[in-house]
Amino acid sequence: MNLYVFPVAPNPTKVRLYLAEKAAGGAKIQLAEVMVDLREGEQKRPEHLSRNPFGKLPVLELDDGTHLIESLAIIEYLEECHPDPPMIGSDAMDRARVREVERIAELGVLFPVAHIVHATNSPLGLAPIPEMAAYFRGVLPRALGVLDRLLAPGRPFVAGDRPTIADCTLQAAFQFARFGKVEIDPSFENLARWDRDYRARPVAKAVLSL
Ligand SMILES: N[C@@H](CCC(=O)N[C@@H](CS)C(=O)NCC(=O)O)C(=O)O
C-alpha cells in the first residue's frame, strides 16, 4: 500500500500520527509514504487526480490499485485490519466516546483552524478572506473549551488514559495552528498541558516538524 501525504498538512498528519501510534504499540502496517508537494500544486496534476478526483491528501492506495480518499475512512479501514493496539476504543461505549471526541476535534478545531490559516496566509496561495478568518476565530473557543474540560481531571490523553484517534486529529490541528500562527488561547491550561506532553513523546516527535 502507498499513503500519499505532505508534511504539516493536517489531514495527512492525522493519519501519519495514527500510524506512528500503531507502530509504537506493535502493529505491523506495511505501507510506503509518498510525498505529493502541495506547494507545487502536485495534488492537482492528472497523476494525482486519477487517485483522488478532489485533488487532495491523504490518499491510501491499496495493493489492488484502488484508493481511499478520506482521512477518517483510511484510519477506520486500517484499524479494522489491525485492531491492536486499539485506537478507537475497546467496547461499544468507549468507541462511541472516542469517535465523539474525534469529531469535536475535527469539526470544532481542525476545520476552524484550517479556515483561519487559509483565510489569512494560505500556503496554497488562496486569496485572504478577513471575514471568514474572523468568523472562525469566534467559533474556535467553543470546542477548545469542551476539550479543555474533558482534560481537566488530569487525563493524559483527550479521550482517556491512552492515545486514540482523537489525539491524532487534535494534534494535527494544533500543528497546523502553529504553522499558520493561529493562537490557541493559553488560558485553556489543560489543553496546553496536553499539547506539551503529547508532543514530548517520541511517537509524536517522529511525525511532527513544528
Ligand atoms: N475531508 C478530507 C480533506 C482533505 C484535505 O482537505 N486535504 C488537504 C490537506 S490537509 C489538501 O489536500 N489540500 C490541497 C488542496 O485543497 O488543493 C480528509 O479528511 O481527508
Side-chain angles (χ1 to χ4, degrees), residues 9-12 14 38 43-44 54-58 69-72 106 124:
N11 289 292
K14 185 196 308 183
L38 296 179
Q43 75 279 19
K44 304 298 185 205
F54 295 108
K56 290 184 185 286
L57 299 173
I69 62 171
E70 278 288 333
S71 55
L72 195 52
E106 165 87 35
L124 299 177

Coordinates of all heavy atoms in Angstrom, one line a residue, residues 9-12 14 38 43-44 54-58 69-72 106 124, ligand 1:
A9 N 0.5 19.3 6.6 CA -0.9 19.4 6.1 C -1.7 18.5 7.1 O -1.3 17.4 7.4 CB -1.0 18.8 4.7
P10 N -2.8 19.1 7.7 CA -3.4 18.4 8.9 C -4.0 17.1 8.6 O -3.9 16.2 9.4 CB -4.4 19.5 9.3 CG -4.6 20.4 8.2 CD -3.3 20.4 7.4
N11 N -4.7 16.9 7.5 CA -5.3 15.6 7.3 C -4.3 14.5 7.0 O -4.5 13.4 7.6 CB -6.4 15.7 6.1 CG -7.6 16.6 6.6 OD1 -8.3 16.1 7.5 ND2 -7.7 17.8 6.1
P12 N -3.3 14.7 6.2 CA -2.2 13.7 6.2 C -1.6 13.5 7.6 O -1.2 12.3 7.9 CB -1.2 14.2 5.2 CG -2.0 15.1 4.3 CD -3.1 15.7 5.2
K14 N -2.8 13.7 10.5 CA -3.7 12.9 11.4 C -3.4 11.4 11.1 O -3.3 10.6 12.0 CB -5.1 13.3 10.9 CG -6.3 12.7 11.6 CD -7.6 12.8 10.9 CE -7.9 14.2 10.4 NZ -9.3 14.2 9.7
L38 N 2.3 19.9 -2.0 CA 1.1 20.8 -2.1 C 1.6 22.2 -2.6 O 0.8 22.9 -3.2 CB 0.4 20.9 -0.8 CG -0.3 19.6 -0.3 CD1 -1.0 19.8 1.1 CD2 -1.3 19.0 -1.3
Q43 N -0.9 18.1 -6.2 CA -2.2 17.4 -6.0 C -3.2 17.6 -7.0 O -4.2 16.9 -7.1 CB -2.7 17.8 -4.6 CG -3.4 19.2 -4.5 CD -2.3 20.3 -4.3 OE1 -1.2 20.2 -4.6 NE2 -2.8 21.5 -3.9
K44 N -3.0 18.6 -7.9 CA -4.0 18.9 -9.0 C -3.5 18.4 -10.3 O -4.1 18.7 -11.3 CB -4.2 20.5 -9.1 CG -4.7 21.1 -7.7 CD -6.0 20.6 -7.2 CE -6.5 21.4 -6.0 NZ -7.4 20.6 -5.1
F54 N -10.8 14.9 -6.1 CA -10.8 16.1 -5.4 C -9.5 16.8 -5.4 O -9.3 18.0 -4.9 CB -11.4 16.0 -4.0 CG -12.8 15.5 -4.0 CD1 -13.2 14.2 -3.6 CD2 -13.9 16.4 -4.4 CE1 -14.5 13.8 -3.6 CE2 -15.2 16.0 -4.4 CZ -15.5 14.7 -4.0
G55 N -8.4 16.1 -5.8 CA -7.1 16.7 -5.7 C -6.6 17.0 -4.4 O -6.0 18.1 -4.1
K56 N -6.8 16.1 -3.4 CA -6.4 16.4 -2.0 C -5.7 15.2 -1.4 O -5.6 14.1 -2.0 CB -7.7 16.7 -1.2 CG -8.3 18.0 -1.6 CD -9.5 18.3 -0.7 CE -10.2 19.6 -1.1 NZ -9.5 20.8 -0.8
L57 N -5.1 15.4 -0.2 CA -4.4 14.4 0.5 C -5.1 14.3 1.9 O -5.7 15.2 2.4 CB -2.9 14.9 0.7 CG -2.1 15.1 -0.5 CD1 -0.8 15.7 -0.1 CD2 -1.9 13.8 -1.2
P58 N -4.9 13.1 2.5 CA -4.2 12.0 2.1 C -5.0 11.1 1.2 O -6.2 11.2 1.1 CB -4.0 11.2 3.5 CG -5.2 11.6 4.3 CD -5.5 13.0 3.9
I69 N -9.9 8.0 -0.1 CA -9.6 9.4 -0.3 C -10.1 10.3 0.9 O -10.0 11.5 0.8 CB -10.1 9.9 -1.6 CG1 -11.6 9.8 -1.7 CG2 -9.5 9.2 -2.8 CD1 -12.2 10.6 -2.9
E70 N -10.5 9.7 2.0 CA -10.9 10.5 3.2 C -10.1 10.0 4.4 O -10.0 8.8 4.6 CB -12.4 10.3 3.5 CG -13.3 11.2 2.7 CD -13.2 12.7 3.0 OE1 -12.9 13.0 4.2 OE2 -13.5 13.5 2.2
S71 N -9.5 10.9 5.1 CA -8.6 10.6 6.2 C -9.2 9.6 7.2 O -8.6 8.6 7.6 CB -8.0 11.8 6.9 OG -9.0 12.6 7.3
L72 N -10.4 9.9 7.6 CA -11.0 9.1 8.6 C -11.4 7.7 8.1 O -11.3 6.7 8.8 CB -12.3 9.8 9.2 CG -12.8 9.3 10.5 CD1 -11.7 9.2 11.6 CD2 -14.0 10.1 11.0
E106 N -12.1 17.4 15.1 CA -12.1 17.7 13.7 C -13.0 18.9 13.3 O -12.5 19.9 12.7 CB -12.6 16.5 12.9 CG -13.0 16.7 11.5 CD -11.9 16.5 10.5 OE1 -11.0 15.7 10.7 OE2 -11.9 17.3 9.5
L124 N -1.5 27.5 0.2 CA -1.9 27.2 -1.2 C -2.1 28.4 -2.1 O -2.5 28.3 -3.2 CB -3.2 26.4 -1.1 CG -3.2 25.0 -0.4 CD1 -4.6 24.4 -0.3 CD2 -2.1 24.1 -1.0
Ligands
LIG1 N1 -12.0 15.6 4.1 C1 -10.7 15.3 3.6 C2 -10.0 16.7 3.5 C3 -8.7 16.5 2.7 C4 -8.0 17.9 2.6 O1 -8.6 18.9 2.7 N2 -6.7 17.8 2.4 C5 -5.9 19.0 2.3 C6 -4.6 18.9 3.1 S1 -4.9 18.9 4.8 C7 -5.4 19.1 0.8 O2 -5.0 18.2 0.2 N3 -5.5 20.3 0.2 C8 -5.0 20.6 -1.1 C9 -5.9 21.4 -1.9 O3 -7.1 21.7 -1.5 O4 -5.5 21.7 -3.0 C10 -10.0 14.3 4.5 O5 -10.3 14.3 5.7 O6 -9.1 13.6 4.1

